[in-house]
């Protein structure tokens, strides 16, 4: 268990190693992939990546909430939230490799 | 949008790249994220979101049909929390302007 955090830099580096584009272009392509996913979701269109998972947009209705500090009731306006549903392949891969490895929550 | 459509859109915007390379770029990205999670690592993509692994402790569940108790072992599940920018993009009206 390493407890590392992977960022764009490692993803670009992997693309650089794997595909052989320049480092700059590799970074741009990682960004482009994230941008395409974002654009699709912003348009309300789900993104499904086989053997990884799906990103869905869910519409939430208006409801009453409460300011926990003041106890005041405030309306929570209708909004759209993102839901990620991991594929069975990804879930299976993670649960088999992390079996019996207690880990503190992130 | 599914994987093949994502590849097609990227290909359209990057006519100088081979489709084969775009396919490899897309699979490399998702493979890196999956491999990191399988090691228990976290993947943080500012503005987009963060993937992490959460642990579900062992519990005794019930078969809803028969009522029989079933032991469920500890398990680890992937989790995604959307980033601030992505959340905001989801809630911007198409026209812009409004709050």
């Amino acid at each position: 268990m390493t407890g590392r955090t992977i960022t764009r830099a490692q993803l670009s580096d992997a693309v650089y190693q794997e595909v052989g584009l320049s480092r700059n272009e590799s970074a741009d392509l990682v960004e482009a992939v994230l941008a395409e996913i974002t654009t699709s979701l912003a348009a309300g269109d789900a993104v499904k990546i086989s053997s990884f998972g799906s990103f869905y947009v869910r519409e939430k209705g208006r409801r009453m909430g409460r300011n926990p500090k003041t106890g005041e009731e405030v309306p929570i306006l209708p909004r759209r939230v993102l839901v990620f549903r991991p594929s069975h392949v990804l879930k299976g891969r993670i649960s088999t490799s992390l079996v019996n490895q207690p880990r503190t929550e992130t | 949008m599914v994987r093949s459509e994502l590849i097609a859109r990227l290909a359209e915007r990057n006519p100088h790249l081979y489709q084969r390379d775009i396919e490899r770029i897309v699979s490399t990205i998702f493979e890196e994220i999956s491999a990191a999670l399988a090691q228990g690592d976290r993947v943080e993509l500012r503005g987009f979101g963060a993937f992490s692994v959460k642990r579900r402790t062992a519990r005794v569940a019930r078969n809803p049909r028969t009522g029989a108790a079933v032991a469920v072992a500890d398990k680890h599940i992937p989790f995604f929390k959307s980033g601030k920018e992505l959340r905001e993009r989801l809630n911007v009206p198409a026209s812009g302007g409004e709050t």
Side-chain angles (χ1 to χ4, degrees):
Chain A
M1 189 78 29
T2 48
R4 287 182 309 163
T5 296
I6 273 65
T7 63
R8 280 177 174 74
Q10 284 85 352
L11 295 188
S12 316
D13 193 58
V15 168
Y16 169 74
Q17 305 282 345
E18 195 66 34
V19 186
L21 303 173
S22 73
R23 281 188 187 277
N24 260 331
E25 192 155 33
S26 301
D28 288 349
L29 264 303
V30 168
E31 213 49 61
V33 168
L34 298 178
E36 287 297 344
I37 296 174
T38 303
T39 302
S40 174
L41 293 170
D45 184 20
V47 176
K48 302 182 186 186
I49 306 296
S50 57
S51 77
F52 183 77
S54 307
F55 301 88
Y56 295 94
V57 179
R58 207 160 65 195
E59 307 273 345
K60 304 262 262 183
R62 182 180 190 275
R63 65 185 168 96
M64 290 310 282
R66 212 175 265 284
N67 179 329
K69 194 174 282 184
T70 63
E72 193 185 349
E73 280 214 328
V74 280
I76 297 175
L77 299 174
R79 65 201 203 285
R80 300 199 297 172
V81 296
L82 183 67
V83 193
F84 174 65
R85 287 238 297 270
S87 79
H88 287 287
V89 178
L90 181 61
K91 277 187 177 170
R93 190 167 164 188
I94 290 172
S95 60
T96 43
S97 74
L98 293 181
V99 113
N100 293 330
Q101 293 210 38
R103 177 178 165 78
T104 43
E105 297 295 276
T106 45
Chain B
M1 177 170 79
V2 297
R3 187 194 289 256
S4 56
E5 293 164 324
L6 170 61
I7 291 164
R9 288 180 201 185
L10 290 162
E12 216 171 285
R13 280 171 213 225
N14 295 277
H16 61 295
L17 295 178
Y18 292 112
Q19 165 121 356
R20 196 195 56 216
D21 285 342
I22 295 178
E23 282 164 15
R24 287 177 70 193
I25 290 163
V26 169
S27 31
T28 301
I29 292 171
F30 291 111
E31 173 51 31
E32 280 297 302
I33 298 174
S34 306
L37 294 173
Q39 282 183 63
D41 291 341
R42 200 182 129 78
V43 179
E44 188 178 311
L45 305 166
R46 277 292 152 80
F48 184 76
F51 296 91
S52 58
V53 177
K54 291 204 172 193
R55 182 178 172 214
R56 295 277 176 267
T57 47
R59 66 193 170 95
V60 178
R62 271 180 197 285
N63 179 329
R65 194 183 302 236
T66 64
V70 188
V72 179
D74 260 14
K75 60 183 172 186
H76 295 263
I77 55 150
F79 178 79
F80 177 73
K81 184 178 192 304
S82 55
K84 194 167 166 236
E85 255 174 70
L86 177 53
R87 270 203 305 277
E88 285 169 358
R89 280 287 300 277
L90 293 182
N91 287 292
V92 173
S95 52
E98 288 175 66
T99 45

